[in-house]
Amino acid sequence: MSQVPITVDHVRDLLPEAGEIARKDLRDSVLDVWVRAWRSSAWQQLSDVPKSVDLPSSRTLTTHSRAVARMSAQMADTVTQLHGIAVDRDAVLAIALLHDVCKIHEFEPAPAGGGQWSTPGRRFQHGFLSAHWMLEAGMDDDLVHAVIAHTPHSSVVPQTQEGVIVHYADFADSDAQLLDAGQRLFCKRRP
């Protein structure tokens, strides 16, 4: 299978929710982090990266990222409209789209198809590489913190409204997929 050209345009096509980020500099940074992660990975097709090695390979990272972005944006709008709590919608979208970008390196193509854990995936805490690339891109510490804190494997919990929203949207989408696959839900796991 030939490799799709690794371009911002291709990533934008796979993650159209990035277009909802109003701040151009933030939108461009989100897309650039995805491009950088993909270019330095073993994946020929970004659309082949799985959401999890424990789920069917049809459950992809890009689809999960899109779902979390959509849920997060709707949650942010609801919290703002009904509770009057200020939430930075652009930040929510950026965090949601980047929370699992590290899986491009945490997983590698498996010989029989799908994905398997890579050496970095076994050695680094989930979210570490995402945060590293975000810092290198000059992204705000609150965004980086939210990505680090989104996972139950983190020693910190979200400290911003945006981080809390993405944390729960990620759990909701993950648990819907796990339930569908007959697997143990995240909400029942303890670190």
Side-chain angles (χ1 to χ4, degrees):
M1 181 184 321
S2 65
Q3 182 168 338
V4 170
I6 301 173
T7 65
V8 170
D9 289 338
H10 185 69
V11 173
R12 188 182 300 114
D13 289 345
L14 289 171
L15 300 170
E17 289 75 14
E20 294 181 33
I21 300 173
R23 294 193 317 262
K24 183 182 181 325
D25 62 326
L26 183 56
R27 180 176 60 246
D28 290 349
S29 292
V30 167
L31 294 169
D32 287 344
V33 167
W34 273 90
V35 168
R36 177 178 179 187
W38 185 18
R39 280 187 178 148
S40 62
S41 79
W43 294 95
Q44 298 296 308
Q45 308 278 343
L46 186 56
S47 57
D48 288 342
V49 181
K51 184 258 188 269
S52 170
V53 296
D54 299 324
L55 289 170
S57 61
S58 61
R59 306 293 183 156
T60 68
L61 174 61
T62 54
T63 302
H64 170 64
S65 298
R66 293 185 66 203
V68 173
R70 287 182 184 193
M71 286 187 221
S72 296
Q74 291 175 355
M75 290 168 67
D77 293 345
T78 300
V79 167
T80 298
Q81 292 167 3
L82 297 180
H83 299 300
I85 297 172
V87 178
D88 182 340
R89 195 171 194 275
D90 279 356
V92 164
L93 287 165
I95 296 161
L97 289 169
L98 292 173
H99 81 283
D100 276 352
V101 70
C102 54
K103 288 183 177 183
I104 296 173
H105 280 257
E106 290 176 358
F107 306 144
E108 62 190 9
Q116 64 187 16
W117 287 101
S118 67
T119 299
R122 289 188 303 273
R123 291 183 177 173
F124 298 147
Q125 175 187 302
H126 175 57
F128 164 76
L129 287 171
S130 300
H132 172 73
W133 294 321
M134 291 169 73
L135 286 170
E136 285 192 341
M139 296 180 87
D140 182 87
D141 286 351
D142 283 344
L143 302 176
V144 176
H145 159 76
V147 166
I148 288 287
H150 90 273
T151 175
H153 302 291
S154 179
S155 62
V156 297
V157 296
Q159 299 294 308
T160 64
Q161 293 291 342
E162 297 78 12
V164 167
I165 287 169
V166 173
H167 171 80
Y168 285 107
D170 179 39
F171 267 41
D173 188 63
S174 295
D175 279 352
Q177 293 185 61
L178 290 167
L179 183 64
D180 188 58
Q183 295 191 23
R184 189 166 166 229
L185 304 181
F186 273 118
C187 68
K188 294 296 183 183
R189 297 179 189 183
R190 300 288 179 248

